[in-house]
Amino acid sequence: MTLEVRTVPADTPEVDALLDAYLDEREATFPSAQGSYARKRTPAAEFAPPRGTFVVASEDGRAVGCGGLRRIPDDGDDVRFEVKHVFVTPDGRGRGVATAVMDALEAGGAALGATAIVLDTNDSLVAAGAMYRSRGYERVPAFNENPNATAWYRKPVR
């Protein structure tokens, strides 16, 4: 299998299908003790350069993952970009797709002038949290009011 990660507009049918699958899965697996999942998609325009970027990972021409990066307000001296909607289809998992998506997003953030990449996630997504920490993300206080999030992370761009 050949893995390709490419930058795409976030308003394509291919992206819509991936994000629908992502939101469906999150809604179905959201911890009931935390209430109901707030189904919200970031507007595609927020991922358009120079405010952001969106990538799709494909294996042999089949979309198996995606993720976006968008500019959010600065924090002190930090020029911040936020990772959103990182998703790998069930049949794409365990083969480095999320790592390739994050590599592309972090490179895109650096090219857009980021000094920090931030993200939020839910602690129930154990593999995602472990991947983010292994990439150098450190837990920080909440920087948004995402009702689905229980953990916030930051990584400096070097």
Side-chain angles (χ1 to χ4, degrees):
M1 297 255 176
T2 302
L3 181 64
E4 174 195 13
V5 179
R6 65 193 191 291
T7 301
V8 300
D11 60 356
T12 65
E14 176 182 50
V15 171
D16 283 341
L18 286 164
L19 292 180
D20 284 345
Y22 164 73
L23 293 170
D24 289 348
E25 181 176 292
R26 286 304 300 135
E27 190 170 37
T29 61
F30 195 72
S32 59
Q34 294 176 20
S36 59
Y37 181 73
R39 193 177 174 105
K40 182 180 178 211
R41 186 185 294 192
T42 301
E46 293 187 28
F47 298 119
R51 294 185 61 202
T53 189
F54 201 91
V55 300
V56 168
S58 299
E59 284 183 334
D60 299 329
R62 195 178 82 256
V64 293
C66 66
L69 190 73
R70 68 174 178 173
R71 180 85 153 82
I72 64 171
D74 295 349
D75 181 25
D77 293 332
D78 268 344
V79 175
R80 296 187 303 173
F81 281 78
E82 180 184 24
V83 172
K84 298 295 294 179
H85 306 323
V86 172
F87 173 68
V88 177
T89 62
D91 60 332
R93 293 178 187 158
R95 296 202 302 274
V97 174
T99 296
V101 166
M102 288 300 295
D103 287 348
L105 294 177
E106 290 173 6
L112 292 168
T115 62
I117 306 285
V118 297
L119 60 89
D120 63 42
T121 189
N122 190 289
D123 285 316
S124 67
L125 299 171
V126 175
M131 179 194 58
Y132 298 137
R133 289 186 299 276
S134 76
R135 297 181 66 82
Y137 286 83
E138 294 184 357
R139 219 162 161 148
V140 296
F143 57 82
N144 64 26
E145 296 180 6
N146 182 350
N148 300 323
T150 58
W152 290 260
Y153 289 91
R154 176 189 177 276
K155 178 181 179 179
V157 175
R158 303 200 196 298

